Amino acid sequence: MHRLVVMNTKIIRLLSRMSEALAGLLIASNLVVLLYGVTARYLAGRSPIWMDELSRFLIIGTVLLTAGVVWVRNEHMRINLLEQKLPPKWASALKLYQWLLTVAISAAFAWYSWHYAFSVGRFTTMGLGISRTWPMLSMPLGFFMLFLFAILRGPFERKDLQL
């Protein structure tokens, strides 16, 4: 059992670093796009039409890719007053319920958003003129990462998991 916990911790750390690195690249790309748009607006009098759209897609992708990391670190916004006030046995049951709900919803959203992303493939985005599938793929990837992190961490907080 201890080996499984150590292996899960290593996998979580690796996936966290990869997700954060990719999110960092998306944020840096978004900064470049926004600076280009502002510069173009001042120098040419207008910014490219695709700039706002690309910036929006990059922000959405960043949020979805980091959702699993934030969840596994327990750094997301939530109210755990009820967990603190309940007796330990009931608090554990509530945490298990929350974990099961997270696993089920993230798996369902990953599944449905995967199918949705490919169902809109024949449509193109207005500004970029690319298939809508490409920006929509951030949804199934983000929800799958949340699902994976939830499964790897398990239903209860782990004190040994320092990311």
Side-chain angles (χ1 to χ4, degrees):
M1 183 68 171
H2 180 67
R3 280 188 182 167
L4 184 62
V5 170
V6 170
M7 187 175 73
N8 282 357
T9 303
K10 287 180 181 180
I11 293 170
I12 289 171
R13 284 185 183 138
L14 176 66
L15 288 175
S16 294
R17 287 188 192 116
M18 289 171 43
S19 293
E20 289 173 325
L22 187 53
L25 286 173
L26 291 177
I27 288 175
S29 301
N30 193 27
L31 181 64
V32 169
V33 167
L34 291 173
L35 287 174
Y36 174 74
V38 169
T39 304
R41 188 171 293 131
Y42 282 107
L43 295 179
R46 62 187 176 95
S47 61
I49 191 170
W50 53 264
M51 190 217 57
D52 289 334
E53 190 175 73
L54 180 57
S55 177
R56 212 172 18 251
F57 291 151
L58 290 171
I59 287 173
I60 292 168
T62 301
V63 168
L64 286 167
L65 285 175
T66 55
V69 177
V70 171
W71 189 86
V72 81
R73 289 181 179 167
N74 206 19
E75 293 176 346
H76 55 293
M77 189 182 305
R78 59 181 279 215
I79 300 172
N80 62 353
L81 182 65
L82 188 58
E83 293 170 14
Q84 294 172 353
K85 298 293 181 188
L86 287 173
K89 193 179 222 180
W90 285 99
S92 292
L94 180 60
K95 287 177 185 178
L96 179 62
Y97 168 73
Q98 292 169 347
W99 178 76
L100 289 170
L101 201 58
T102 300
V103 168
I105 289 174
S106 60
F109 279 23
W111 174 262
Y112 288 117
S113 61
W114 175 263
H115 291 287
Y116 174 75
F118 285 100
S119 74
V120 296
R122 63 183 175 275
F123 303 108
T124 58
T125 62
M126 287 187 125
L128 294 168
I130 60 172
S131 169
R132 289 193 60 83
T133 294
W134 291 108
M136 293 298 129
L137 283 175
S138 65
M139 289 190 318
L141 179 60
F143 285 118
F144 177 73
M145 292 298 288
L146 178 58
F147 169 78
L148 192 58
F149 276 116
I151 291 294
L152 289 170
R153 189 190 87 176
F156 305 107
E157 279 187 60
R158 293 183 19 212
K159 304 297 182 205
D160 67 319
L161 189 61
Q162 298 297 322
L163 301 176

